[in-house]
Amino acid sequence: MVPEELFSLALGLVPPWLVDHVTFTVEEKRLDLHINFPKGSRFACSVCGEECPVHDTRDHTWRHMDFFQHEAYLHARVPRVKCQEHGVHQISVPW
């Protein structure tokens, strides 16, 4: 199992979310997990739950629990969806 798959499972990510890049820096005692989704993915409108296309994304970073003695950070492009009925809304991330 490759590290990206292992960390996707450890974080409980479900499609379309996945860890697509892992950076581990021993000197800084830091683990960076980059979460992404495939092009063309659709997400639920935060108002009505209808599956909608991605309008745009914004980069976000969260501090996660330490991985042993190493600081862990999650990085993701968080999509805003364009709902035909409710306009553009940022989705809630599952972590």
Side-chain angles (χ1 to χ4, degrees):
M1 181 176 289
V2 296
E4 292 82 4
E5 291 175 359
L6 175 68
F7 285 112
S8 290
L9 287 172
L11 291 171
L13 299 179
V14 295
W17 295 107
L18 55 93
V19 174
D20 72 347
H21 182 69
V22 176
T23 305
F24 181 66
T25 310
V26 175
E27 299 80 22
E28 295 179 22
K29 292 188 169 188
R30 181 177 171 132
L31 174 67
D32 290 278
L33 303 173
H34 299 268
I35 300 169
N36 207 344
F37 55 88
K39 185 176 182 173
S41 295
R42 296 174 70 85
F43 294 90
C45 170
S46 59
V47 178
C48 66
E50 184 72 26
E51 292 288 313
C52 301
V54 173
H55 176 70
D56 61 9
T57 61
R58 293 185 178 162
D59 293 330
H60 291 277
T61 300
W62 298 264
R63 176 73 160 87
H64 196 270
M65 295 184 305
D66 286 355
F67 181 76
F68 294 100
Q69 71 273 24
H70 303 282
E71 291 183 358
Y73 294 88
L74 305 179
H75 307 272
R77 297 181 310 126
V78 179
R80 294 192 312 156
V81 296
K82 187 171 187 177
C83 178
Q84 289 183 343
E85 187 174 340
H86 300 104
V88 177
H89 295 283
Q90 183 169 315
I91 67 155
S92 297
V93 293
W95 53 89

